[in-house]
Amino acid sequence: MIYLYQSSGTLTWDLPELPLLVGQILSGAGIGLLVAQYLLFRKKVKAVFLTEDLLAKLKIYANATRERYVILFVVALICSVGLLFFGSAIYNFIFAGALFFFSVAKPTPDRIKSLLKLSQEDAEVIRLASRPD
């Protein structure tokens, strides 16, 4: 809705003018959080290799994925606010990056198997659990 509002150019909501510094902080926060969610996720997934228990591995992965999605949601909100008040294309690019990570980060059995480097038996358990009868 905000993108359509900005691209139409005919609607006016009489929003207050915010200082340019606020826009720079928002875009910097959006980019920083995009990078941070990727690095934090990778760091947390490395903790999986310290245990052999499948359930413990999945709990670590689930917590890391949940945290990643929360950060991506915050990035999406930042981009919406930034686009609404400033109309800069940088927020569209940051939002596109967030959408990319939303889609790539979707936990699928194949992704879990490759990220956690699971054995064939554990991967089969994950695959069967993802397709309940």
Side-chain angles (χ1 to χ4, degrees), residues 85-133:
F85 283 99
F86 298 100
S88 176
I90 188 70
Y91 299 108
N92 291 332
F93 290 114
I94 298 169
F95 189 73
L99 290 179
F100 171 77
F101 281 112
F102 268 122
S103 64
V104 169
K106 180 182 174 190
T108 63
D110 290 334
R111 179 162 171 75
I112 293 170
K113 176 186 174 187
S114 65
L115 270 176
L116 306 183
K117 295 184 172 97
L118 298 177
S119 66
Q120 288 295 336
E121 298 82 29
D122 289 345
E124 185 63 20
V125 169
I126 299 296
R127 189 188 66 76
L128 290 173
S130 71
R131 303 181 194 277
D133 291 329

Side-chain angles (χ1 to χ4, degrees), residues 57-76:
K57 288 181 180 185
L58 290 177
K59 284 182 182 180
I60 293 169
Y61 177 76
N63 288 334
T65 301
R66 187 176 308 111
E67 182 178 294
R68 182 181 217 181
Y69 272 90
V70 167
I71 293 172
L72 288 172
F73 178 71
V74 170
V75 169

Side-chain angles (χ1 to χ4, degrees), residues 20-66:
L20 187 58
L21 179 65
V22 174
Q24 292 171 342
I25 290 171
L26 286 175
S27 61
I31 292 169
L33 285 173
L34 264 184
V35 172
Q37 63 83 25
Y38 178 78
L39 296 175
L40 285 172
F41 180 78
R42 289 292 176 180
K43 181 181 177 185
K44 290 188 182 241
V45 167
K46 285 183 182 179
V48 164
F49 303 115
L50 301 175
T51 182
E52 291 295 319
D53 182 37
L54 178 61
L55 188 58
K57 288 181 180 185
L58 290 177
K59 284 182 182 180
I60 293 169
Y61 177 76
N63 288 334
T65 301
R66 187 176 308 111

